[in-house]
Amino acid sequence: MTNRTAPTNRTAPTTRTAPTTRTAGGPVTATYWMDHAWLGTHVEPDVTVEVADGRIAGVRTGVETPPPGATVLRGLTLPGLANAHSHAFHRALRATVQVGSGTFWTWRELMYQVASRLTPDTYFDLARATYAEMALAGITSVGEFHYLHHAPGGTPYANPNAMGEALIAAAAEAGIRITLLDTAYLAAGFGEKPNRHQLRFSDATADAWAERASLLKGDDHTLIGAAIHSVRAVPAGQLATVAQWAEERNAPLHVHLSEQTAENDACRAAHGRTPTRLLADHGVLGPRTTGIHNTHLTEEDIALLGSSTTGTCMCPTTERDLADGIGPAVALQKAGSPLSLGSDSHAVIDLFEEARAMELNERLRTHIRGHWTAAALLRAASADGHAALGRPDAGVLEPGAPADLTTVALDSVRTAGPVPRLAAETAVFAASAADVRHTVVAGRHIVRDGRHALIEDVPGALAAAVAALHH
């Protein structure tokens, strides 16, 4: 993972230029023609992308008519979106947790009830449908923050990674890439043993977690990473074990960080320092590490994260749903922390909403508009998200990059009207997941004209999987 900076907006030229070509790779196996494409800094009309071995082999501009045999993608085609933070089973909580009032901590009790009912089979069904919903929303890669490891009571399954492998299989059937962030979750709090719900999450020690996680295998669509659930869930003396496991494998490492002020207070009481300082002191921070939420930080925390180029994954729809607060994303990015986005608890699955919410939250807090350009927000939703998931070559429409594409309609009731050169602004500030028309992963057309090509009835699959956990 590298230190990533956001580009600024530039508009497309008003006159067409002669066709240009950028090429790489072997024999072309698929060709896509786009009437408008986002090339990182501007919207370009009439673009052809050639695919070989699942990667972009060539990008040609100024191609005014589709080449013979090309698949036409009408609208604005973007690099595939990256959902950098997901808990797939939380999808079963949608709407059911909106009855009554409470806090994050009361919401967590409802989450535990759903977690207690999952088996490898029901988790596969729910995750498959959830990842299919992501594909329909233009998401081509998900970071699954996975801590539901064992059977109720904490007994390991005969296959100790049955739950994680169910998630990997679910992503494959839904047609998207997955970075399985296998999560160490060892304690209920500072000096507290896991409660009865958390026994399913715990491997007892970081060494035991590492032994089990080492059995997981990746493939062309699967990367294996690591996660520290939080400083309250992994004893300080065992943080380095998880960090070393990730370092040895050059794998991404994620951690929930300062989501709640109560966690900060408890950490200071136990260790005399903030969670960020505790992670820094135990070698957790760095360019392969991403802090999730990073909501309640001190100036020193922000400096530590920025100077180490530790990433920040903001999840605005979940943070507002759980009444967590608004994190200092502007200050973090200025300090050197790359920003990515995640749908987290899946109150909604819509990376366009996450992107604009980050900007609009800052407007509400500061009474100032325009903290990020549409280009910067798209980069957080794509290239920097993929990099946080261990795929630094993804999220761009360039030769050699994975052939992962998302096309947004420019003629829906939400997106019709603006001129094409403002299509990026239209996508970020007006479009929704419902406007995604096409999703391509590794050159394979997963969503075509708004319909999932692999799962015929995604709403039905979601309804059945959720109902199985509420009966």
Side-chain angles (χ1 to χ4, degrees):
M1 204 180 302
T2 57
N3 187 15
R4 285 96 50 194
T5 56
T8 56
N9 270 351
R10 291 187 297 170
T11 58
T14 55
T15 59
R16 300 232 174 137
T17 57
T20 59
T21 304
R22 292 175 284 168
T23 60
V28 172
T29 55
T31 301
Y32 291 93
W33 181 85
M34 309 148 191
D35 56 1
H36 295 92
W38 175 249
L39 298 186
T41 58
H42 66 283
V43 175
E44 183 77 25
D46 304 332
V47 176
T48 293
V49 166
E50 297 170 334
V51 178
D53 297 325
R55 291 185 172 270
I56 296 176
V59 178
R60 300 171 58 205
T61 60
V63 183
E64 297 189 19
T65 58
T71 299
V72 174
L73 305 179
R74 295 203 179 276
L76 174 66
T77 297
L78 309 163
L81 305 180
N83 188 353
H85 188 64
S86 162
H87 301 293
F89 76 91
H90 289 190
R91 177 60 179 83
L93 298 170
R94 187 179 294 180
T96 63
V97 292
Q98 303 300 346
V99 178
S101 60
T103 66
F104 167 85
W105 306 102
T106 53
W107 170 90
R108 190 174 70 157
E109 293 303 314
L110 296 172
M111 179 267 289
Y112 284 156
Q113 292 176 26
V114 169
S116 69
R117 302 184 187 116
L118 285 162
T119 67
D121 287 341
T122 58
Y123 205 5
F124 167 81
D125 291 340
L126 178 59
R128 175 178 175 268
T130 301
Y131 296 153
E133 182 182 355
M134 291 185 194
L136 288 167
I139 292 163
T140 59
S141 187
V142 61
E144 184 60 39
F145 199 103
H146 167 56
Y147 55 82
L148 189 53
H149 303 305
H150 307 300
T155 302
Y157 290 101
N159 171 2
N161 285 307
M163 297 294 265
E165 290 177 7
L167 293 166
I168 292 171
E173 291 213 7
I176 69 171
R177 305 180 191 271
I178 185 171
T179 297
L180 187 73
L181 298 158
D182 196 277
T183 304
Y185 193 137
L186 310 175
F190 298 98
E192 299 178 25
K193 293 181 179 180
N195 64 34
R196 63 186 180 87
H197 298 293
Q198 296 163 340
L199 290 172
R200 295 199 73 175
F201 312 158
S202 178
D203 290 295
T205 68
D207 286 335
W209 165 83
E211 182 178 357
R212 179 188 52 73
S214 296
L215 300 174
L216 288 161
K217 304 298 181 185
D219 55 36
D220 289 345
H221 283 256
T222 305
L223 295 179
I224 306 300
I228 293 164
H229 180 272
S230 57
V231 294
R232 69 178 186 274
V234 177
Q238 300 185 59
L239 292 170
T241 299
V242 184
Q244 183 177 356
W245 187 95
E247 182 178 2
E248 289 172 352
R249 292 160 177 79
N250 196 31
L253 173 63
H254 289 207
V255 54
H256 289 134
L257 181 57
S258 290
E259 182 178 4
Q260 299 291 326
T261 56
E263 178 183 278
N264 290 353
D265 295 342
C267 187
R268 286 192 180 94
H271 297 289
R273 66 200 82 176
T274 67
T276 302
R277 170 53 73 180
L278 186 67
L279 294 174
D281 291 346
H282 288 274
V284 175
L285 302 185
R288 285 182 298 96
T289 301
T290 298
I292 311 301
H293 304 302
N294 295 359
T295 307
H296 303 285
L297 302 177
T298 65
E299 290 186 5
E300 181 192 27
D301 292 339
I302 293 170
L304 284 169
L305 293 167
S307 64
S308 62
T309 64
T310 298
T312 294
C313 179
M314 303 298 290
C315 307
T317 66
T318 291
E319 289 150 6
R320 72 191 184 196
D321 181 57
L322 299 182
D324 288 343
I326 301 171
V330 171
L332 282 161
Q333 188 173 51
K334 285 181 178 178
S337 178
L339 299 180
S340 55
L341 297 165
S343 63
D344 192 358
S345 68
H346 312 314
V348 296
I349 294 177
D350 187 336
L351 264 290
F352 301 111
E353 176 63 20
E354 303 293 347
R356 69 172 155 264
M358 189 164 68
E359 165 67 25
L360 298 182
N361 284 350
E362 281 296 322
R363 294 184 185 186
L364 286 173
R365 180 165 61 178
T366 64
H367 302 173
I368 297 172
R369 304 175 77 243
H371 300 273
W372 291 279
T373 62
L377 294 169
L378 285 174
R379 185 171 179 84
S382 56
D384 284 350
H386 290 293
L389 298 180
R391 301 183 188 274
D393 58 343
V396 292
L397 300 185
E398 296 177 1
D404 297 352
L405 315 172
T406 296
T407 303
V408 181
L410 296 178
D411 58 357
S412 77
V413 293
R414 288 165 293 277
T415 60
V419 295
R421 69 180 179 82
L422 296 177
E425 286 77 9
T426 301
V428 171
F429 291 103
S432 76
D435 296 309
V436 171
R437 291 294 175 264
H438 303 280
T439 303
V440 174
V441 181
R444 184 185 186 193
H445 213 150
I446 301 301
V447 173
R448 187 188 296 267
D449 296 320
R451 296 186 63 85
H452 202 288
L454 307 179
I455 300 173
E456 183 175 351
D457 181 9
V458 177
L462 283 163
V466 171
L469 300 176
H470 289 291
H471 288 165

